[in-house]
Structure formats: structure tokens, C-alpha cells
């Protein structure tokens, strides 16, 4: 190969062309071919098998075997002196982009790359957890055999050794599997089943994406592997930034009888930890206990041999040592799971009433999972609440939608908390929707109240995006959403911690949705009862969702006032959590005794309709927690009674159910264009895509948190049980609050 000529060129495009021509003329690897192509105006070189090289001038990421990076500057992307330079950053971004494209379009466990800069080169091996770079850089001009030797050895590797997934097969055009996929996508089905068919057809429409046949064996039984045909994923996480590398597919399964079934397949890399079960194992338990509104598991598998062991990789590089032995085990396993349902994203809801119906069913799923299996979801987000089309029973030929709470990957068995030495799962859910407390204290156990708060944040997101408000300017509404869901990252010398936005913290403290300027944000009925073409209405009649949010935000406000770590009271006056009171014990007995289908009565009405039951603090006063110790209205008993509404699911479900029974729901209240949303997106399962690992400590909140960092006690069995009938306790709370607040308007 003409290595000296490559190093002497001043144009990267020329270096790419000369390298490609030299490799192909040298006949180093006869079964492979080097090609230089263009992707989005970027020159891309790489090795392909002779059966899969690009015939046109565009890059084929689906068949690329080995990316080759050629940089004209003698700037080492991985040298300490060059890493922070602009050229060094640009070169590393290119290396990362090529890898992400290859991992996304292919089914891979790892990927090799070659980086040439000036007269030196580096060899790279990447997977979803590690990036191994040869060090020091190799002077290929003085060692002319290094490049030919590497390419010959690379070409002699098996497909698995080059990083290909042996349980995946590329479906080429013209094959029987390819024809089967196209035929199934074009054959219309009856009723609700046609939604999955349409979603599948959308994944095949982009001809730049490859088709694959993926196999999934049984997780625990010796059964034949099942095969699924997939096209473009409906979601795909960044393969290098998201360690899970999560991808979701609408898939087609052809069973032994020849029948075609559309299902949903999730492909990811899961962290193997004793306290974190496989998602399919959790779904098996939920399905066995007949928990409604959760996915129906078909099969799941940890793919044999597909594991990434960080500790082993470090030991291979640096050798065994006591320091490495002291590190916690970090092992990821390639995992596939298939469920029956193909859902529709939550933002496709047709009206505010349907939004609350879907949310209610998902809260019921959360309650039943907690009550029947001791499982807490821990990742409530808008992407994990779906609508599933089902055939209507009242009128033939109609399609209705049910809620489905999906993505149980981060769930936790709370009954294990009582075991000595139990270590809670360190990964948390989607930061934008976590409760304020869960963000401030990541080492504390998440409870039901935290999960209900996450549901409320989802409701705020959907309502702000798609329902009419009294906000006068679109920019103000967009600014509210951006500020409310912002994740604040704080860096110090040793770590980066994440916490919620200051606006969300303030809204929780005040018990109301407020803009940055302190203006109250309300949801109103549309001016025209039949159409809703504009967002900003002059009508001042409250929307039913406005009542829901004000009521539950008052409960959340009271909860934070009652929590010792947030209450701005002297330590001596802060009540400690002792044994269960008679009232709490009665609530827990009621929880265990009511059937699932029994309707709960409406919880106590917010003492001030349209405002928080607690007097909002002056935003300019220095009190860091914002709670008044002198207000007669804000007594400990009143706060405690309101905070107890979040101890179980009952009050929230009662609030949602009673609101649905109200007659003033508009038929057409969803706006045609949401804030920051595109209603033309594909209808399918979504994934949060965030790999949110808990930090070793918690961030110090400026207004709500105290210095206390003691872990809350694990929940006992009777605290975990979830009620279905709280009518008597609700009336007790209502009477107590009314005695202190007087008649309610």
C-alpha cells in the first residue's frame, strides 16, 4: 500500500480516495472491498464484504464492516494534549457518529474502527459500555506491515468475532421473508388489529433501512426459538450515550400454522444486578396476577454469550489489582422481549376526557401491580403511558382505546426492602417526570406518593401541550414548559448531580402552576364547543382538568410541608414518624378489603376551589421552604390530613373517576397543534431513552430540602397494601378540614 502518499496529502477527501484505491489494489483481503462514499456531505470510508458494498455513492451503514477515519491534521483525537482542541473534538465526534450509525442500522455486539492521522494510526474496539483504544499511537510509516497485517487478520475473523449478532439475519430484497413482510404490511385487517398492521407498514416504508429476522428463545424453558421480521425501529437510543442501546420494533411473527401476528419487540442491553429482574420476569408476574392495563408477555431472553463485563475488560487492559477488585460489578446482557400489544403514543389522545381515561387506567395498573405483586414501576413518563386500540363491545365495528403502562425495566420489588443488606436499584426513571423528592434524594426509596407526583407531571405535560389555557402568548406557554421540565445539572470536583427545575419546585411549594413571572396558569374550556382552532381563549370557564390539577397539587403541596426534610420548622416541632395511627391503620384495612371493580367515592374537595388549601408563601420572603408557621390555617393536622391523600392510590383514583363523571367535558378540546409536538409522528411504543443513573449522593436543594439525608424507612406490608374503598376515611378528612376552614365555595 502507498502509505507515504497517503500521509503526504493535504486534502482529507484525497486521502480517502488514495487509501481506498490502495487497499483494493493490494488484494490484502480478497473477500472485502474498501469504498469511499458520502453521507450528508461527509466523506465516509470503510470496509464491506463483496456481497454488500454500496453500488451508489451513498454510505451503506447496514453492511459496513469497519469504519476507516482519515484525518489530515496530525491531531490525535485521544492524546491528552489534543483532546480539548476544536479539531480533536470534531474528530472524536466523527468517530462517534460512525459508530452510532452502524450500531443503529445493524444488529451488533461490538465494532472495530481504524483512525489514521498524519503518520500515525490507532485501532479502536467499541461496544455499548467500553471504548478500547490502542496506545500509544502506531507510526505506520516506519512500521509498514502493521496496516496490511491488521486488515488480513480482521478479514479472517468470523462474523461473530467482527461483532455481528448471530441471532439476527439480514433480510435481502427478493427473498421469501422480504416478500412475506411486504405482503403482510399490505393486507388490511379488520377492526383494532389493523392499527398494528399500519404501524408495521410505516416501518417498512423507509427503503434506506434494512430488514432483519430476529430470533428470541424462551427465557426459562427449552422451547424452540421464535422468529420475528422487523424493519426500521420506532425508537432507538444512542448506542454510545445510552448504555442500554434500546430499540423498539413493530414485528411480524409467522407461526407454525402460517398465521401472521403483529407484536412489539424490544431489544436492549440490561444491567445484571441481583435487585433488578428482567423486565419480562416482572411482566410474567403481573400477567399471572391478572394485573390489567400492562403489556402481555409472549417471550423474552438473555441472548447467550452476549455480555459486556466492564470489570473483566479493565482487568484485561490494566491487569488484576485490588483497586479493580473493589469496584462494583458492572455487567450488561443483551436482552430481547416480545409483547402482544402495539400501542399509540399518549400525545395522540383525541380529547381531554380521553386523556384522563387513559391516565386513570394506567394509575389502576400501577395500583394493582403494587397491591398484588409488591412491584413499584419507578419510571412514570409520557413515553411509558400508551393507548392500545381494542374492538368496542357496545357497537360492532368500533375501535376504542385503553391505557397501557409499559416499560417495567426499572421496577422494584418493594417487599425485598425488608431484607437486610438490600441495595435498591441505583438507576432511576426519566428525570423530567421524577418527583422533586426523588430528584433531591436519589438514595431514598421511592414511594407511592412519588409515583403519583410523576403521573401529575405527565398530565401537566400533556395539558400544556394540547389543551386550551388562559395564557395570552405562545412564547410564555413554551417558556413555562421548558422551565418546568428542565433538568438542572450541577458539577463539582468529583461528580455531577441532577435536580429538578426551580419552577417545578416553586409550583410544588405553592400548590399551583405558575409561570416564571408568578402568573397563575389555568386550563379553560374552548370558546366554541364544536371546534378548537386556536390555543389562547378568552373564555374563563375552568376545564375539568384544571380542577384535577389544582386538587392534587394541593395534596402534593401538603405532602412536602409534612416531610421532615422539607418542612421549615425547628427540629423539635417536626413530628417524627411513629407507629401507625388509628386513622392510618383503618385506611390500610380498607385498602385490603375492597374489590378492584368497586368505585371509590370522590376524595375531599380542595378547601379552596381553584387555589391551594394552604396559603401560598410570599415569593419574596426569605423563608427557604415557603411554609408559614404562624398561619392558623396551616396547622399540622390540616397538612397531615391533606398529605395522607397520597399515602395510597385511592384519593387520586377517586379524584379522576369523579371528574370523569362530571357533565362539563367538551367534545373537542384538543388543539390542532401542540407546543413542541408533531402530530404526524409514527404511532407506536416510545422509550424515554434516558439512562438516568443515580448519583452517590443527593443534590442540595435551595428552597425545599434540608441537610437531612437519612434514608426513609422501608415500607411495611400493611403500608404497601392499596385500598379500593376509602369512602369513610375521605369523609373524615373532609369533615376535619371543613371544621378548620369553614364553609367551602
Amino acid at each position: 500500500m502507498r502509505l507515504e502518499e497517503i500521509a503526504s496529502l493535504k486534502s482529507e477527501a484525497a486521502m480517502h480516495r488514495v487509501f481506498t484505491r490502495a487497499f483494493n489494489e493490494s488484494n490484502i483481503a480478497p473477500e472485502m472491498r474498501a469504498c469511499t462514499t458520502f453521507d450528508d456531505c461527509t466523506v465516509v470510508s470503510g470496509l464491506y464484504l463483496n456481497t454488500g458494498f454500496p453500488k451508489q455513492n451513498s454510505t451503506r451503514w447496514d453492511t459496513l464492516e469497519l469504519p476507516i477515519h482519515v484525518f489530515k491534521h496530525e491531531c490525535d483525537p485521544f492524546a491528552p494534549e489534543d483532546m480539548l482542541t476544536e479539531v480533536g473534538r470534531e474528530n472524536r465526534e466523527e468517530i462517534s457518529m460512525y459508530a452510532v450509525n452502524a450500531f443503529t442500522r445493524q444488529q451488533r455486539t461490538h465494532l472495530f474502527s481504524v483512525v489514521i492521522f498524519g503518520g500515525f494510526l490507532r485501532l479502536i474496539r467499541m461496544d455499548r459500555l467500553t471504548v478500547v483504544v490502542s496506545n500509544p499511537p502506531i507510526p505506520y510509516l516506519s512500521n509498514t506491515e502493521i496496516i496490511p497485517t491488521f486488515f488480513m487478520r480482521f478479514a479472517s475473523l468470523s462474523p461473530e468475532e467482527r461483532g455481528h449478532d448471530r441471532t439476527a439475519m439480514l433480510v435481502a430484497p427478493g427473498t421469501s421473508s422480504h416478500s412475506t413482510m411486504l405482503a403482510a404490511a399490505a393486507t388490511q385487517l379488520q377492526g383494532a388489529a389493523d392499527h398494528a398492521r399500519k404501524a408495521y407498514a410505516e416501518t417498512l416504508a423507509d427503503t434506506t433501512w434494512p430488514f432483519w429476522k430476529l430470533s428470541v428463545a424462551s427465557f426459562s424453558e427449552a422451547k424452540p426459538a421464535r422468529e420475528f421480521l422487523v424493519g426500521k425501529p420506532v425508537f432507538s437510543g444512542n448506542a454510545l450515550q445510552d448504555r442500554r442501546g434500546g430499540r423498539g420494533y413493530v414485528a411480524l411473527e409467522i407461526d407454525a400454522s402460517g398465521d401472521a401476528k403483529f407484536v412489539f419487540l424490544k431489544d436492549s442491553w440490561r444491567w445484571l444486578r441481583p435487585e433488578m429482574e428482567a423486565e419480562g420476569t416482572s411482566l410474567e408476574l403481573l400477567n399471572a396476577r391478572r394485573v390489567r392495563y400492562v403489556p402481555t408477555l409472549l417471550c423474552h431472553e438473555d441472548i447467550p454469550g452476549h455480555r459486556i463485563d466492564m470489570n473483566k475488560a479493565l482487568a484485561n487492559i490494566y491487569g488484576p489489582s485490588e483497586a479493580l477488585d473493589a469496584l462494583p460489578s458492572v455487567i450488561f446482557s443483551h436482552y430481547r422481549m416480545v409483547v402482544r400489544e402495539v400501542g399509540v403514543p399518549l400525545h395522540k389522545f383525541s380529547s381531554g376526557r380521553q386523556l384522563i381515561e387513559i391516565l386513570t387506567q394506567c394509575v389502576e395498573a400501577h395500583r394493582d401491580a403494587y397491591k398484588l405483586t409488591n412491584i413499584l414501576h419507578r419510571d412514570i413518563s409520557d413515553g411509558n403511558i400508551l393507548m392500545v386500540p381494542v374492538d368496542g363491545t357496545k357497537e360492532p365495528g368500533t375501535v376504542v382505546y385503553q391505557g397501557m403502562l409499559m416499560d417495567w425495566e426499572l421496577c422494584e420489588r418493594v417487599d425485598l426492602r425488608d431484607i437486610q443488606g438490600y441495595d435498591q436499584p441505583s438507576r432511576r426513571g426519566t428525570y423530567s417526570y421524577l418527583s422533586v423528592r426523588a430528584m433531591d434524594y436519589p438514595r431514598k426509596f421511592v414511594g407511592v406518593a412519588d409515583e403519583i407526583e410523576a403521573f401529575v407531571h405527565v398530565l401537566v405535560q400533556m395539558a400544556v401541550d394540547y389543551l386550551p389555557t388562559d395564557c395570552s402568548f405562545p412564547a410564555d406557554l413554551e417558556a413555562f414548559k421548558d422551565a418546568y421540565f428542565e433538568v438542572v445539572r450541577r458539577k463539582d470536583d468529583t461528580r455531577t448531580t441532577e435536580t429538578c427545575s426551580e419552577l417545578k419546585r416553586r409550583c410544588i411549594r405553592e400548590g399551583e402552576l405558575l409561570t416564571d413571572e408568578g402568573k397563575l396558569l389555568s386550563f379553560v374550556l374552548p370558546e366554541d364547543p364544536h371546534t378548537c382552532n386556536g390555543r389562547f381563549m378568552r373564555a374563563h370557564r375552568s376545564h375539568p382538568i384544571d380542577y384535577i390539577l389544582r386538587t392534587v397539587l394541593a395534596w402534593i403541596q401538603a405532602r412536602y410541608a409534612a416531610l421532615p426534610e422539607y418542612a421549615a420548622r425547628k427540629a423539635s416541632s417536626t413530628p417524627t414518624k411513629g407507629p401507625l395511627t388509628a386513622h392510618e391503620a383503618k385506611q390500610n384495612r380498607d385498602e385490603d378489603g375492597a374489590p378492584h371493580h368497586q368505585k371509590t367515592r370522590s376524595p375531599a374537595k380542595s378547601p379552596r376551589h381553584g387555589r391551594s388549601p394552604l396559603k401560598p408563601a410570599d415569593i419574596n420572603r426569605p423563608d427557604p421552604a415557603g411554609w408559614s408557621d404562624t398561619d392558623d390555617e396551616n396547622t399540622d393536622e390540616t397538612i397531615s390530613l391533606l398529605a395522607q391523600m397520597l399515602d395510597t392510590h385511592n384519593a387520586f383514583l377517586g379524584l379522576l373517576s369523579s371528574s370523569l363523571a362530571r357533565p362539563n367535558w367538551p367534545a373537542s378540546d384538543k388543539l390542532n397543534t401542540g407546543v413542541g409536538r408533531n402530530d404526524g409522528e409514527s404511532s407506536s411504543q416510545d422509550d424515554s431513552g434516558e439512562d438516568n443513573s443515580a448519583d452517590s449522593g443527593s443534590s442540595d436543594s435551595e428552597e425545599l430540602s434540608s441537610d437531612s439525608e437519612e434514608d426513609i424507612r422501608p415500607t411495611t406490608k400493611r403500608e404497601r397494601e392499596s385500598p379500593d374503598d376509602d369512602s369513610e376515611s375521605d369523609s373524615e378528612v373532609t369533615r376535619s378540614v371543613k371544621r378548620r376552614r369553614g364553609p367551602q365555595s
Side-chain angles (χ1 to χ4, degrees):
M1 297 181 66
R2 302 189 295 272
L3 303 180
E4 296 83 358
E5 181 181 355
I6 297 172
S8 63
L9 294 172
K10 297 183 179 180
S11 166
E12 288 188 1
M15 294 172 70
H16 279 279
R17 288 194 298 270
V18 171
F19 181 88
T20 298
R21 186 167 59 251
F23 177 89
N24 292 333
E25 291 175 353
S26 67
N27 204 30
I28 295 175
E31 63 275 23
M32 290 189 173
R33 178 179 301 192
C35 296
T36 296
T37 56
F38 290 90
D39 182 79
D40 229 3
C41 300
T42 301
V43 181
V44 180
S45 290
L47 295 190
Y48 299 82
L49 293 176
N50 289 331
T51 56
F53 66 91
K55 303 295 177 61
Q56 304 297 327
N57 210 21
S58 56
T59 308
R60 285 199 60 180
W61 296 109
D62 59 323
T63 58
L64 179 65
E65 291 286 338
L66 179 74
I68 299 172
H69 305 271
V70 181
F71 303 126
K72 64 179 179 180
H73 298 286
E74 290 197 7
C75 174
D76 185 350
F78 300 98
E81 62 272 15
D82 296 330
M83 289 187 70
L84 298 181
T85 65
E86 182 178 356
V87 175
R89 285 195 297 267
E90 290 178 352
N91 291 347
R92 284 197 306 280
E93 287 175 0
E94 179 185 300
I95 296 170
S96 174
M97 181 192 73
Y98 288 14
V100 169
N101 287 340
F103 275 117
T104 302
R105 301 288 181 116
Q106 301 183 35
Q107 308 294 328
R108 280 189 166 273
T109 58
H110 58 273
L111 179 73
F112 291 98
S113 299
V114 175
V115 180
I116 298 175
F117 50 96
F120 297 87
L121 68 82
R122 287 186 186 268
L123 307 178
I124 304 176
R125 182 194 182 278
M126 287 176 281
D127 54 41
R128 286 165 176 80
L129 200 61
T130 62
V131 177
V132 180
V133 182
S134 62
N135 194 49
I138 302 169
Y140 65 86
L141 293 178
S142 59
N143 188 357
T144 57
E145 294 300 316
I146 188 68
I147 290 182
T149 301
F150 170 77
F151 285 131
M152 284 189 292
R153 292 182 177 179
F154 178 80
S156 66
L157 297 176
S158 68
E160 290 80 9
E161 291 172 328
R162 293 200 301 271
H164 290 288
D165 179 358
R166 65 179 181 276
T167 66
M169 180 183 298
L170 188 66
V171 177
T175 61
S176 60
S177 294
H178 192 273
S179 301
T180 298
M181 296 173 72
L182 297 180
T187 304
Q188 186 172 354
L189 302 177
Q190 297 298 317
D194 200 48
H195 157 71
R197 194 270 310 174
K198 292 179 180 178
Y200 186 69
E202 290 179 6
T203 69
L204 307 186
D206 190 344
T207 57
T208 64
W209 282 77
F211 296 171
W212 294 92
K213 179 188 290 185
L214 307 178
S215 66
V216 183
S218 173
F219 191 80
S220 56
E221 300 178 12
K223 294 182 179 179
R226 301 168 68 167
E227 294 183 335
F228 302 89
L229 301 171
V230 302
K232 181 179 179 179
V234 296
F235 71 79
S236 179
N238 187 303
L240 299 183
Q241 293 180 0
D242 179 7
R243 294 176 296 180
R244 294 179 295 170
R247 288 179 287 185
Y249 300 91
V250 181
L252 174 69
E253 180 183 21
I254 308 296
D255 59 24
S257 62
D259 294 334
K261 295 185 297 184
F262 295 103
V263 296
F264 192 82
L265 185 150
K266 182 178 178 180
D267 183 287
S268 64
W269 290 74
R270 72 182 189 94
W271 194 357
L272 296 183
R273 291 177 62 96
E275 69 277 6
M276 295 181 67
E277 294 181 323
E279 183 178 1
T281 302
S282 300
L283 287 181
E284 279 182 325
L285 179 58
L286 295 173
N287 294 161
R289 300 293 176 85
R290 299 186 178 182
V291 175
R292 299 167 299 167
Y293 310 124
V294 299
T296 304
L297 180 70
L298 297 179
C299 58
H300 65 131
E301 175 191 22
D302 275 320
I303 300 177
H306 289 196
R307 292 196 175 186
I308 303 174
D309 190 332
M310 170 69 85
N311 307 70
K312 185 177 179 180
L314 292 174
N316 289 338
I317 297 172
Y318 300 106
S321 67
E322 294 183 1
L324 288 178
D325 293 340
L327 293 177
S329 175
V330 180
I331 303 175
F332 278 73
S333 175
H334 190 189
Y335 179 72
R336 288 199 185 113
M337 180 187 71
V338 182
V339 298
R340 178 180 300 158
E341 295 82 4
V342 177
V344 179
L346 180 62
H347 67 83
K348 296 284 187 178
F349 70 90
S350 60
S351 66
R353 179 183 177 85
Q354 187 185 59
L355 172 63
I356 297 302
E357 289 174 345
I358 297 299
L359 188 70
T360 301
Q361 291 167 342
C362 289
V363 176
E364 289 178 358
H366 191 278
R367 175 201 61 188
D368 292 351
Y370 189 66
K371 174 181 177 180
L372 299 176
T373 66
N374 290 315
I375 288 179
L376 203 60
H377 188 278
R378 298 178 72 250
D379 190 14
I380 304 299
S381 69
D382 65 336
N384 292 338
I385 298 177
L386 299 183
M387 305 188 304
V388 178
V390 297
D391 292 316
T393 57
K394 294 183 179 180
E395 298 182 18
T398 60
V399 175
V400 297
Y401 289 87
Q402 291 182 347
M404 184 177 75
L405 186 58
M406 65 165 293
D407 199 355
W408 294 78
E409 181 179 352
L410 301 184
C411 71
E412 180 186 8
R413 289 282 300 271
V414 295
D415 53 325
L416 301 180
R417 294 175 178 177
D418 298 328
I419 300 176
Q420 186 175 6
Y422 172 77
D423 185 17
Q424 66 170 329
S426 57
R427 280 178 53 197
R428 296 179 286 167
T430 308
Y431 283 166
S432 295
Y433 302 98
L434 289 178
S435 70
V436 173
R437 176 181 166 277
M439 289 293 288
D440 287 343
Y441 298 96
R443 295 183 65 85
K444 292 190 175 184
F445 289 120
V446 172
V448 170
D450 297 296
E451 298 280 83
I452 292 176
E453 183 181 331
F455 276 112
V456 172
H457 295 320
V458 172
L459 179 56
V460 170
Q461 169 90 53
M462 292 295 108
V464 170
D465 270 350
Y466 291 109
L467 297 179
T469 73
D470 61 356
C471 185
S472 302
F473 301 101
D476 290 346
L477 203 59
E478 294 185 18
F480 168 83
K481 193 186 77 168
D482 292 342
Y484 188 90
F485 291 100
E486 178 188 13
V487 176
V488 180
R489 289 176 168 84
R490 298 172 178 170
K491 294 184 178 181
D492 56 26
D493 295 336
T494 59
R495 66 185 182 186
T496 300
T497 58
E498 292 84 5
T499 186
C500 68
S501 69
E502 205 55 46
L503 180 60
K504 180 186 290 185
R505 193 182 301 276
R506 179 184 178 188
C507 291
I508 294 299
R509 183 181 70 245
E510 303 284 352
E512 296 174 328
L513 295 181
L514 302 171
T515 66
D516 275 334
E517 294 77 22
K519 298 178 181 178
L520 184 66
L521 179 64
S522 300
F523 299 94
V524 298
L525 296 177
E527 286 183 326
D528 185 341
H530 302 292
T531 61
C532 189
N533 296 321
R535 167 172 287 279
F536 307 103
M537 311 300 175
R538 293 183 179 179
H540 294 288
R541 292 184 299 161
S542 293
H543 195 287
I545 285 180
D546 195 69
Y547 170 76
I548 293 173
L549 285 172
R550 292 186 184 284
T551 303
V552 71
L553 283 173
W555 300 344
I556 297 174
Q557 179 195 30
R559 181 208 178 203
Y560 281 88
L563 287 173
E565 57 264 45
Y566 289 99
R569 296 179 174 86
K570 295 180 180 179
S572 59
S573 63
T574 301
T576 58
K577 186 69 174 178
L580 290 176
T581 65
H583 172 69
E584 292 172 323
K586 184 180 186 309
Q587 272 196 317
N588 287 329
R589 286 197 300 272
D590 290 342
E591 288 189 19
D592 196 44
H596 281 292
H597 62 271
Q598 184 174 346
K599 294 183 178 180
T600 59
R601 290 178 56 184
S602 174
K605 182 181 290 188
S606 173
R608 286 185 296 168
H609 178 63
R611 298 194 70 186
S612 164
L614 304 181
K615 184 177 180 180
D618 184 346
I619 61 174
N620 296 317
R621 71 192 244 182
D623 180 4
W627 303 110
S628 171
D629 287 329
T630 60
D631 266 341
D632 293 336
E633 296 175 330
N634 297 354
T635 64
D636 287 346
E637 185 177 355
T638 302
I639 293 174
S640 177
L641 291 174
L642 290 169
Q644 287 176 12
M645 294 294 192
L646 300 177
D647 287 347
T648 69
H649 299 80
N650 272 3
F652 190 43
L653 282 173
L655 173 64
L656 297 175
S657 300
S658 63
S659 297
L660 288 172
R662 299 176 69 177
N664 62 331
W665 286 93
S668 302
D669 56 350
K670 187 181 181 184
L671 302 177
N672 295 331
T673 304
V675 176
R677 291 280 183 172
N678 177 10
D679 268 9
E681 294 175 5
S682 173
S683 298
S684 56
Q685 267 94 330
D686 195 6
D687 188 62
S688 62
E690 270 191 82
D691 182 14
N692 296 332
S693 302
D695 302 298
S696 57
S698 66
S699 61
D700 297 323
S701 72
E702 296 178 0
E703 293 189 334
L704 286 179
S705 71
S706 67
D707 294 331
S708 173
E709 188 63 20
E710 297 178 357
D711 285 346
I712 62 171
R713 59 186 178 85
T715 55
T716 62
K717 179 179 183 298
R718 60 178 174 177
E719 289 174 308
R720 289 192 295 264
E721 295 168 346
S722 178
D724 277 12
D725 185 4
D726 61 346
S727 57
E728 191 169 348
S729 60
D730 276 338
S731 59
E732 181 180 340
V733 172
T734 305
R735 289 194 300 269
S736 176
V737 173
K738 285 187 176 182
R739 283 197 301 269
R740 297 183 175 277
R741 296 299 307 262
Q744 306 303 314
S745 57

